[in-house]
Amino acid sequence: MYSTNGLSFAVVLSDNTINVYATSNWERTWILSGHSGDVNSIAYSPNGDRIVSGSYDCTVRVWDVATGDCLYIFIGHTDWVRGVVYSPQGNVVASRSDDETIRLWDVGTGDCRSTLSGYSSVAYSPQGDLIVSSSYRDNTLQLWDIVTGECRQTMTGHTSSVIAVLYSPKGDHIASVSYDRTVRLWNEGSGASRKISHRHSDAVTNLSYSPKLNQIASCSSDSTIRLWDAETGVCSGTLTGHSGYVRKIAYSPQGDQLVSCGEDSRVRLWDVESGAYRYILIGHTTNVYDVVFSPQGDQIASASDDGTVRLWNVQTGECQHVLTGNDSVWVIKYSHQGNQIASAGANGPISLWDVETGACRHILIGHTDGIRGMDYSPDGNQIASASVDKTVRLWDVKTGMCSHIFIGHQREASRVVYSPRGDQVASASREDKTVRLWDLESGECRHTLVGHEKGLCAIVYSSGGNLIASWSDYGEARLWDAETGECRWTINYDKPASSNCSLLSHNFVWTSPEVDTFITGGADGSVRAWKVVEGDVSRVRMRWRSTNGQLGVEDACVQDVQGLSDLNRRLLKQRGATGEPNLRLRETGKKVMSMASVVSKLKSSTPGTETPN
């Protein structure tokens, strides 16, 4: 943590100490030791000359930054101290503890001024004369007078424990976060509140990128589809209508339409600009696993657990063909020319269908178990398939013959993809947690990419073919050099996805061919954009993030706000800010992000065609 004057930087270590560094030369000036338990929270005084710390030893300590001396030890809490904060004037310290109390300490005398019982979080007003506290017990917020210790106002509206509160910079509004999975904005004077909109409230199951619109679509097990600006991360629309888990989405080649499918057995066709659905395509009788546009954009193919593939006319919404022959269809792929479609699923064989007539051209027999993934080669002459039988096979599209069998995975092969140049195939196994790179000329395994600790659910080549991204359902991402097999970057930030999300979902997508940017979707409902910075060592920077329940600032004006960087402005607009005056925020960048970091931890028929009225 930086001091408020920028002259020092404090770091909490696992040995119960606080290390203080001078920012002029970054040399360590003091080791503040004295706590006998983990230091859980620190804060600088407004002028930066003191540090207050709260610890699992149930004490609060005040330190002199210039000398390193401990000036005060505040004793009174009977359980772990979770948070500490200075008042804006620097004369009072507030501490909150697992004993469900908030204590106000006089920095001049060391005395405890007041004890507020039953509260979990606290924030000072910008003027320092009021404190707002939140309650675990009765789901309320309380507004307190610092001088008298009296409760001025009780604010109700949350339906579960309130875990964090924050004042707006002007002091006229208060934001609160609750386990009821809502954020509320309160008017300090009237106590009236309103909810702030959520992003995805459950796991992101699939992503799709529209290069023509520079837009990302994400779908979730929360039954919604969200549209995002790929550059700024601004959520431009929410598509609702599915009654269950949305499994797959795909943009039309023109980018003006979006198709979705899920566990409600419906396929929906959406107009991207208006957000309205054009058709509900009805015919499947159970879960729809996969959906895709034809290369020309005039047809949609859908695959279902009912054992059928259906081909739909985009203009009319009519079902043109019903392709049968599999017990359960998991994966479908159009050929690059759009005249052929491949389908596969639980029972092993791959079927190649003529799109115009609906006739089956070839049945590719060889795998002894279900097919998890398929991909056409760039020239369209081959199909690669990954199977539960642990093998990867290459097939000749014209003859239906198997030309290669790649053996090496110790468990089922769950993903397969051709390199952009078509000289290499990458396969991944969810269970053995490896990626293998196969040379098509020699048929040998060039590299085995080892390092993932959790199950793999996606692999994708970058547009240039020099990088391979791999992604696990526990939020673990890695970038690999496609030539050498070296791991060039890794990150692990997420929490486990549900088993449904990981079966066939693809929550990792590269964007522009010219720029190495990729988008990831997380089990916590988050969507993140990353930029690969090439150099001697590859670096990856997060460009934007939107997380479940993340703070929005609807109706807030950033038109004349002072002290905001371009990034701050984009982040505020991402959360709902506008360009027209209404409620003005001043110097809010850091405070909004602070609140967002708290919130981001939450979680937390009859066959036919329907048209909208």
Side-chain angles (χ1 to χ4, degrees), residues 113-185:
R113 285 188 175 186
S114 302
T115 301
L116 314 179
S117 298
Y119 300 98
S120 60
S121 181
V122 63
Y124 280 97
S125 66
Q127 296 75 25
D129 58 338
L130 297 172
I131 276 184
V132 62
S133 60
S134 63
S135 173
Y136 274 128
R137 296 179 180 177
D138 58 10
N139 314 329
T140 65
L141 279 70
Q142 303 272 352
L143 196 61
W144 304 86
D145 188 295
I146 290 293
V147 177
T148 66
E150 295 178 353
C151 179
R152 286 192 178 183
Q153 194 173 39
T154 299
M155 292 169 274
T156 61
H158 284 295
T159 59
S160 188
S161 298
V162 185
I163 60 173
V165 289
L166 177 71
Y167 257 99
S168 67
K170 288 182 65 177
D172 53 353
H173 280 78
I174 297 166
S176 61
V177 183
S178 169
Y179 281 132
D180 65 10
R181 304 177 82 165
T182 67
V183 179
R184 285 182 175 266
L185 281 186

Side-chain angles (χ1 to χ4, degrees), residues 456-515:
L456 284 166
C457 61
I459 52 169
V460 197
Y461 278 94
S462 64
S463 300
N466 58 319
L467 296 173
I468 297 173
S470 56
W471 179 256
S472 84
D473 53 6
Y474 280 64
E476 180 190 10
R478 288 176 178 262
L479 285 185
W480 310 85
D481 189 297
E483 182 64 29
T484 66
E486 295 178 356
C487 182
R488 298 173 63 173
W489 173 80
T490 183
I491 192 171
N492 193 332
Y493 70 86
D494 210 348
K495 63 186 227 180
S498 66
S499 59
N500 285 338
C501 300
S502 56
L503 176 62
L504 293 169
S505 65
H506 184 97
N507 50 3
F508 193 116
V509 61
W510 291 92
T511 58
S512 168
E514 293 79 23
V515 179

